[in-house]
Amino acid sequence: MAAWGQRLAGVRGVLLDISGVLFDGAEGSGVPIAGSVEAVARLKRSRLKVRFCTNESQKSLGDLVRLLQQLGFDISEGEVTAPAPATCLILKERGLRPYLLIHDGIRSEFDQIDTSNPNCVVIADAGESFSYQNMNKAFQVLMELENPVLISLGKGRYYKETSGLMLDVGAYVKALEYACGIEAEVVGKPSPEYFKSALQEMGLEAHQAVMIGDDIVGDVGGAQQCGMRALQVRTGKFRLRVPDGEAGES
């Protein structure tokens, strides 16, 4: 106990991943991970500041929060840092008109974005929309641009649903990067800007917060690179054996 006390000394806030930490998703629903509802409630009763950090890109922020509330979690939209709203701000600030390779579940987040005559590509966890036709369209848009811009809502390798492990957006991002000879701009974990934004919302410095997640690269590695402490839970996508190179990326 003393060792943990020393490791967490000075912590004033906790950042919580959602998928794989609070619940395992399913088609249109999900199942809370044992003890997670109670753990969030205890954190909310403590003196610690709490923020939820997610790369979720199959559900809108509103739909995600409503689902978590239905599952018993004490959570509101204002407590969540998510990539889709941040991406919309970037698009507006830079005058970008995206070709959207995204899931229908988050298309409403981009209702106010001009998508005519695309001058960039936004890619997210598109699920069944990751067809050859749609990937090839994204490739063609990028190749026709003098200065191609590829924005990705996260870069995870895989995630866990109740039915098992699911291939994530990162594999498709890598394909476009390779084919076009470019590097994607990541809006979401493990981007340093993502974590800095969450910390700013909490009013904390990096050394005052700890990130809790199931992804050794996106959650733990990304947080550590920003000067935060981080803990990996043995739920969600956690595996004792990880793919070659993944453990070294943190």
Side-chain angles (χ1 to χ4, degrees), residues 39-237:
V40 170
R42 288 199 301 272
L43 284 172
K44 288 292 193 74
R45 291 195 299 268
S46 73
R47 296 181 180 179
L48 296 171
K49 295 183 178 181
V50 178
R51 190 153 189 87
F52 303 89
C53 296
T54 181
N55 274 1
E56 172 62 53
S57 60
Q58 288 198 352
K59 298 180 182 67
S60 69
L61 177 57
D63 287 344
L64 175 63
V65 169
R66 281 188 288 273
L67 171 59
L68 291 169
Q69 290 172 341
Q70 291 169 6
L71 295 177
F73 291 98
D74 179 5
I75 185 173
S76 64
E77 289 189 33
E79 296 174 300
V80 182
T81 299
T87 300
C88 288
L89 289 176
I90 291 172
L91 295 172
K92 292 177 180 178
E93 289 172 356
R94 293 165 58 179
L96 294 172
R97 302 179 305 278
Y99 169 71
L100 296 172
L101 182 48
I102 62 176
H103 195 280
D104 286 344
I106 64 165
R107 201 163 290 275
S108 62
E109 300 269 26
F110 296 86
D111 282 347
Q112 304 304 313
I113 299 297
D114 182 5
T115 57
S116 62
N117 190 25
N119 60 1
C120 74
V121 169
V122 169
I123 185 172
D125 183 9
E128 296 298 326
S129 293
F130 276 134
S131 63
Y132 175 80
Q133 179 182 4
N134 290 340
M135 282 288 289
N136 195 52
K137 175 62 177 177
F139 164 75
Q140 291 173 335
V141 168
L142 292 168
M143 291 298 286
E144 290 170 1
L145 296 171
E146 183 177 353
N147 297 301
V149 175
L150 173 61
I151 298 175
S152 178
L153 276 64
K155 206 173 183 180
R157 295 183 178 191
Y158 54 89
Y159 58 95
K160 184 176 182 293
E161 290 193 344
T162 54
S163 58
L165 295 179
M166 311 294 286
L167 191 63
D168 206 349
V169 65
Y172 300 94
V173 173
K174 284 289 188 181
L176 290 174
E177 287 181 325
Y178 173 73
C180 300
I182 61 175
E183 184 175 349
E185 301 177 26
V186 180
V187 182
K189 297 173 288 184
S191 166
E193 288 74 19
Y194 178 92
F195 288 105
K196 290 175 183 177
S197 174
L199 288 168
Q200 185 176 19
E201 291 288 344
M202 301 172 79
L204 298 178
E205 300 295 329
H207 69 275
Q208 298 175 310
V210 59
M211 175 72 202
I212 299 176
D214 66 328
D215 189 323
I216 192 66
V217 176
D219 297 328
V220 175
Q224 289 176 337
Q225 289 175 10
C226 288
M228 296 169 57
R229 283 164 278 190
L231 300 172
Q232 184 183 22
V233 295
R234 296 193 172 200
T235 55
K237 69 170 68 173

